[in-house]
Amino acid sequence: MSVLEYVRSQTKEFLESMPKSVRKKKGQFFTSLETAIFMAEMFDFSNCGDEVSVLDPGAGTGILTAAFVDRVFKENPNIRITITCYETDTEVLPVLKNNLEHLKNTFKDSLNYRIIEEDYILSQSNDFQENLLASKNPEKYDYVIGNPPYLRVMRDNPSAIAMPKVVHGAPNLYFLFASMSLFNLKNDAEMVYIIPRSWTSGAYFKAFREYFLNEGKIESIHLFVSRDKVFNAEQVLQETMIIKVRKTAKKPDNVLITSTDSSSDFENITKLRVPYDAVVAGDELYVYLPTNEADINVIEKINMYHSTMPDEGLKMKTGIVVDFRQWEELRKEPGENTLPLFYSQHIRDGRVNHQPSGKEYDWIIDEKPGLIQKNKNYVFIKRFTAKEEHRRLQCGVYSPSDFEEYEYIGTQNKINFVDKVDGREMDTQTTYGIYALLNSTLFDMYYRILNGSTQVNSTEINNIPIPPVDLIKEIGEQVLLSKDLSTDNCDRIISEVAYA
């Protein structure tokens, strides 16, 4: 039995003995052997010396380390490897120790290992923060390979407190591990990590992206087109990716983006080389994930412009009324001092109506100014769509003249709406122009490349480059003249006016 088959069998035995529910609470999702081998193949060993050091933080059963070691010795039987594994889980530690000892017995004096049974983050936080307790010469490694725990923690969690420069909003252990692993690398050394896709955009991960993408540079990304089988023994529905990052300030010319259907089949790989600036772009350092030439073309077209909605005096905001918190203000029927409350179900065919939504309450009383807004021009957009739906951006024009008997209205929290930054009313041409942009195939594709989730995030929309307002008005005028709100018509008009 090969070392990899041995480690796989030990891992399988452990998984069968430990309930998924227990592992999920710890954020543990174990890597398949096929994925481990693929990750090990991503490293460049062409310039490594006679001795190499590898770090596996959160090592689990050691399957990533085993795949790394197997590949190194196949390419260079005379090399010496020093392994460092971090693991604190008392349930999995005996399996890890047994597997590493099996590697040691197989490769003898060519391999040494140590297991550090300490918290990976807390044991090095002083070094990472470079405070008075930091080591003068913290240990650095030639390679890091990792599958970190995927677990949201509170902001007062010791690990989050220990790494304040990468924490903004809701911390997750996976990006704390990734930050520390980059710190653990020698200059110009490489790390390969399997992590969720969520860090590539959004405000919560901004501080992490700033650290990670300034200290290191992405060289390759692997995407799973079918996202239900990444951890095929674990049944995890997770937007997951594998990244290879080099610790350097020098940007590569391009990034290799590969994709496959699942983690059990790395045979039919699609490959695409993308200019680095088309992958990592913008002040927010968003990471775009194109998988074909059409995606690259979309990114380049949108990035023709450099202003955003807030730059042009516009802003997407989130609906005000959180209905389950405001039952007392909601009403089932219209009446005195009640206003229409709009849900995402009221956005249909490019328009906003107030037909029965299927919700119990379609009305709100006007007693609390903080829960209502002026009846004026808006573009409404659904915050949530189903994964199987054709479009991610689903929007409609809200016309105040359709509800002229009301001075104010209510918007439920699962709607986003575009308004002017200063609170004044958008003119009709601008309203229809913004609708055309958001309703276009171009913007929908761009958003899908940027964000793999089904939620439309107002912060991300506000950071998308848009044409200047005079062009937006021209687009809106043509939409109004045509009286056609279809995506095909919006595509035609914006391509002629703004993206020729």
Side-chain angles (χ1 to χ4, degrees):
M1 182 184 293
S2 70
V3 290
L4 292 184
E5 288 299 331
Y6 179 83
V7 173
R8 189 205 319 240
S9 68
Q10 297 300 302
T11 301
K12 185 178 180 219
E13 218 171 278
F14 173 76
L15 292 177
E16 289 171 349
S17 69
M18 187 61 56
K20 288 186 178 72
S21 58
V22 173
R23 298 199 309 275
K24 186 176 180 181
K25 287 179 182 177
K26 301 175 185 178
Q28 287 180 334
F29 301 103
F30 286 80
T31 320
S32 69
L33 179 59
E34 293 83 3
T35 302
I37 292 170
F38 182 81
M39 290 172 68
E41 291 289 335
M42 291 175 75
F43 287 105
D44 178 9
F45 294 146
S46 59
N47 294 315
C48 69
D50 296 332
E51 297 186 12
V52 297
S53 57
V54 59
L55 168 67
D56 185 351
T61 64
I63 198 163
L64 287 174
T65 292
F68 179 92
V69 167
D70 184 69
R71 187 195 157 197
V72 173
F73 281 126
K74 279 179 179 175
E75 294 194 12
N76 187 350
N78 299 316
I79 205 167
R80 289 177 58 84
I81 302 177
T82 301
I83 298 166
T84 301
C85 290
Y86 277 83
E87 186 54 64
T88 58
D89 187 340
T90 55
E91 302 284 356
V92 79
L93 269 167
V95 185
L96 176 62
K97 290 175 180 177
N98 178 66
N99 286 340
L100 293 184
E101 192 59 27
H102 183 78
L103 290 176
K104 174 67 176 173
N105 291 336
T106 301
F107 298 109
K108 309 298 182 188
D109 294 338
S110 296
L111 183 146
N112 288 302
Y113 73 87
R114 61 174 173 161
I115 300 173
I116 300 178
E117 297 179 34
E118 298 176 29
D119 186 288
Y120 175 60
I121 301 297
L122 299 182
S123 65
Q124 302 180 90
S125 58
N126 292 323
D127 296 339
F128 183 82
Q129 291 299 119
E130 299 178 313
N131 61 29
L132 292 174
L133 298 175
S135 306
K136 290 184 178 178
N137 295 300
E139 189 163 2
K140 304 288 183 177
Y141 300 87
D142 297 306
Y143 301 96
V144 178
I145 188 167
N147 173 12
Y150 306 159
L151 191 66
R152 283 188 181 181
V153 294
M154 303 298 288
R155 293 198 68 173
D156 61 357
N157 182 280
S159 293
I161 293 171
M163 300 180 71
K165 65 184 174 185
V166 297
V167 173
H168 174 80
N172 194 303
L173 288 180
Y174 85 76
F175 74 75
L176 300 180
F177 267 63
S179 302
M180 188 65 80
S181 289
L182 186 60
F183 172 77
N184 286 147
L185 279 176
K186 296 177 181 177
N187 289 331
D188 206 39
E190 301 171 352
M191 64 182 279
V192 173
Y193 248 57
I194 180 166
I195 57 174
R197 175 177 165 162
S198 51
W199 69 278
T200 59
S201 63
Y204 282 161
F205 302 95
K206 182 179 179 182
F208 165 63
R209 287 195 304 273
E210 285 178 348
Y211 173 79
F212 199 63
L213 298 172
N214 282 313
E215 294 291 315
K217 298 293 176 284
I218 300 172
E219 291 193 340
S220 56
I221 297 171
H222 184 79
L223 304 173
F224 298 98
V225 177
S226 175
R227 299 182 178 98
D228 59 343
K229 294 182 180 178
V230 176
F231 297 98
N232 57 0
E234 298 286 76
Q235 297 177 353
V236 177
L237 295 173
Q238 181 64 263
E239 296 269 0
T240 311
M241 63 198 297
I242 301 171
I243 56 170
K244 175 186 171 185
V245 175
R246 184 177 297 275
K247 189 172 183 177
T248 179
K250 184 181 178 182
K251 284 196 300 188
D253 293 333
N254 53 58
V255 177
L256 175 63
I257 297 183
T258 58
S259 58
T260 51
D261 283 340
S262 72
S263 67
S264 59
D265 176 21
F266 287 98
E267 296 299 319
N268 301 310
I269 296 178
T270 301
K271 297 183 179 181
L272 183 70
R273 288 208 171 268
V274 185
Y276 189 87
D277 290 336
V279 176
V280 179
D283 294 338
E284 301 290 317
L285 290 178
Y286 285 163
V287 176
Y288 299 84
L289 301 172
T291 57
N292 52 51
E293 294 292 341
D295 287 351
I296 297 173
N297 184 52
V298 166
I299 294 169
E300 290 175 344
K301 273 194 171 182
I302 294 286
N303 290 342
M304 282 170 50
Y305 297 103
H306 303 288
S307 294
T308 61
M309 274 207 264
D311 294 331
E312 298 294 329
L314 306 166
K315 191 172 185 180
M316 181 169 282
K317 305 173 185 178
T318 299
I320 300 169
V321 178
V322 182
D323 48 6
F324 65 85
R325 292 179 185 161
Q326 272 117 23
W327 291 122
E328 292 183 3
E329 286 77 31
L330 303 186
R331 297 291 182 269
K332 294 181 179 180
E333 301 291 341
E336 191 175 355
N337 300 321
T338 62
L339 307 171
L341 175 61
F342 291 93
Y343 294 83
S344 61
Q345 288 86 346
H346 291 123
I347 302 170
R348 295 189 183 107
D349 301 322
R351 297 282 184 186
V352 176
N353 59 48
H354 197 246
Q355 296 169 7
S357 66
K359 298 287 186 179
E360 191 172 359
Y361 301 96
D362 280 324
W363 304 87
I364 186 168
I365 58 174
D366 62 2
E367 293 178 1
K368 293 188 177 180
L371 294 179
I372 58 179
Q373 62 202 73
K374 289 285 288 184
N375 180 20
K376 59 184 181 179
N377 283 324
Y378 297 108
V379 177
F380 285 179
I381 186 166
K382 295 181 180 181
R383 280 186 66 204
F384 299 94
T385 53
K387 196 169 277 291
E388 64 273 9
E389 287 190 82
H390 176 62
R391 287 188 60 87
R392 189 66 63 236
L393 304 183
Q394 299 184 24
C395 53
V397 173
Y398 174 87
S399 296
S401 59
D402 292 340
F403 309 95
E404 57 189 1
E405 66 269 38
Y406 300 102
E407 187 178 356
Y408 294 92
I409 62 170
T411 51
Q412 196 255 0
N413 191 246
K414 291 182 181 177
I415 283 178
N416 288 325
F417 61 91
V418 180
D419 192 10
K420 291 199 74 170
V421 171
D422 60 13
R424 292 188 293 177
E425 185 168 14
M426 281 191 296
D427 60 75
T428 303
Q429 292 89 342
T430 301
T431 303
Y432 277 82
I434 288 293
Y435 165 79
L437 291 176
L438 295 175
N439 190 50
S440 69
T441 302
L442 183 68
F443 271 69
D444 190 68
M445 286 181 66
Y446 187 87
Y447 194 79
R448 285 173 177 270
I449 296 165
L450 170 64
N451 186 319
S453 79
T454 56
Q455 180 173 346
V456 176
N457 186 299
S458 59
T459 302
E460 291 170 359
I461 296 289
N462 286 326
N463 280 302
I464 295 177
I466 62 169
V469 160
D470 59 341
L471 288 181
I472 292 173
K473 286 184 178 181
E474 188 177 339
I475 292 167
E477 285 173 3
Q478 293 203 27
V479 172
L480 282 164
L481 284 171
S482 69
K483 299 181 181 179
D484 181 356
L485 297 179
S486 69
T487 294
D488 285 346
N489 191 48
C490 293
D491 288 347
R492 179 187 62 79
I493 292 171
I494 71 165
S495 67
E496 291 173 357
V497 174
Y499 297 98

